[in-house]
């Protein structure tokens, strides 16, 4: 049973930075797409960034140039470095993993999810 646990959220002022982490148990990162999603209050869950098994990364237009997704397969841990944070980045952030297949912006394609970590930017 794959378990994903996010950490690193918190409250920061606009322009600040946070690094989110997602640790996995009973699972190796290699061979599957991993992603960060976020869901603001009253809004649908949206993809923030994903990283394919070959290391290819994709970002939502709203975070390009400010956020960076990476992973350390040896631990294994998925990261999201968030810089130049804006109030509109406020949301619950989730890490997710596809069971198989290419990366997708569609949350329904991801089989495994963490419990989320709250990010608040004021």
């Amino acid at each position: 049973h794959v378990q994903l646990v996010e950490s690193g959220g918190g409250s920061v002022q606009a322009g600040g930075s946070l690094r989110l982490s997602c640790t996995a148990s009973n699972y190796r990162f290699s061979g599957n797409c991993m992603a960060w999603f976020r869901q603001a209050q009253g809004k649908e869950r949206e993809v923030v960034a994903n990283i394919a098994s070959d290391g290819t990364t994709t970002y939502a237009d709203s975070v390009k140039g400010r956020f960076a997704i990476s992973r350390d397969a040896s631990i294994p841990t998925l990261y999201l470095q968030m810089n130049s944070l804006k109030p509109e980045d406020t949301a619950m952030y989730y890490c997710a993993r596809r069971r198989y297949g290419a990366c997708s912006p569609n949350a329904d394609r991801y089989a495994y999810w963490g419990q989320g970590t709250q990010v608040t930017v004021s």
Side-chain angles (χ1 to χ4, degrees):
H1 178 65
V2 175
Q3 290 184 319
L4 302 174
V5 179
E6 303 95 335
S7 62
S11 297
V12 296
Q13 293 187 338
S17 298
L18 284 173
R19 188 175 81 156
L20 305 183
S21 299
C22 173
T23 58
S25 61
N26 301 323
Y27 169 63
R28 296 181 179 181
F29 274 3
S30 60
N32 296 89
C33 176
M34 299 289 297
W36 287 98
F37 284 78
R38 68 185 179 186
Q39 187 167 19
Q41 194 169 7
K43 296 187 177 181
E44 292 186 356
R45 193 167 296 191
E46 63 176 2
V47 67
V48 175
N50 56 47
I51 183 165
S53 57
D54 65 358
T56 301
T57 57
T58 305
Y59 296 91
D61 288 343
S62 59
V63 306
K64 281 181 180 177
R66 299 188 299 122
F67 290 12
I69 188 172
S70 62
R71 65 186 179 194
D72 185 337
S74 65
I75 301 177
T77 301
L78 181 72
Y79 300 102
L80 184 68
Q81 177 66 42
M82 305 187 295
N83 300 324
S84 302
L85 283 161
K86 304 175 181 180
E88 50 264 44
D89 294 319
T90 295
M92 185 72 78
Y93 283 71
Y94 300 89
C95 70
R97 177 211 145 193
R98 288 210 67 181
R99 183 176 288 134
Y100 52 82
C103 284
S104 168
N106 189 338
D108 293 341
R109 301 291 180 90
Y110 291 79
Y112 303 102
W113 292 83
Q115 83 290 346
T117 185
Q118 178 68 38
V119 172
T120 302
V121 185
S122 58

